[in-house]
Amino acid sequence: MKYIIAAIKPYKLDEVREALTAIGVRGMMVSEIKGFGTQSGHTEIYRGAEYAVNFVPKMKLEIAVSASLAEDVIATIAKVAKTDKIGDGKIFVLDLKDALRVRTGETGEDAL
């Protein structure tokens, strides 16, 4: 099993969710986050004054999938979230040792 963490632009969330559902992803966790990378924030003008915005808003997706589905999930997120502009995001992939569905007690891939 694999645990995929992706940071994407907020306005891409619905499009990414729909694409992932279409390839068989049955669930994910989504959080609003702020961060910076190469983009290093930006400046905004509010009521005539310039402000530095050091952290950029992003959406964090956390998805647990079988190893056989992982490459499709990664490719789908990368394709759909891409805008060819700085700040498109990052995808991290970790090995997932185990999972447990609390309601039924199922473990491993059955819990996904």
Side-chain angles (χ1 to χ4, degrees):
M1 294 181 295
K2 299 290 183 181
Y3 191 67
I4 300 167
I5 302 168
I8 63 170
K9 291 183 176 184
Y11 67 88
K12 286 292 198 170
L13 177 62
D14 287 335
E15 198 176 340
V16 169
R17 183 192 54 79
E18 289 170 9
L20 290 174
T21 301
I23 65 165
V25 173
R26 296 188 326 204
M28 73 177 74
M29 294 177 280
V30 178
S31 307
E32 292 181 17
I33 61 170
K34 291 182 181 182
F36 73 92
T38 307
Q39 200 171 4
S40 298
H42 61 282
T43 57
E44 289 184 2
I45 297 176
Y46 178 71
R47 294 190 177 182
E50 191 171 308
Y51 295 93
V53 179
N54 295 321
F55 294 99
V56 180
K58 300 283 182 191
M59 297 303 289
K60 179 169 110 176
L61 312 178
E62 298 175 74
I63 308 161
V65 294
S66 64
S68 61
L69 186 57
E71 289 303 320
D72 288 341
V73 170
I74 295 161
T76 299
I77 295 169
K79 178 182 173 190
V80 176
K82 185 176 182 174
T83 66
D84 285 325
K85 294 188 173 125
I86 196 165
D88 276 350
K90 295 270 193 297
I91 301 172
F92 304 101
V93 183
L94 296 87
D95 288 323
L96 182 60
K97 182 179 174 187
D98 203 1
L100 170 78
R101 185 185 310 255
V102 174
R103 179 178 56 86
T104 63
E106 294 169 294
T107 59
E109 287 192 23
D110 293 335
L112 302 178

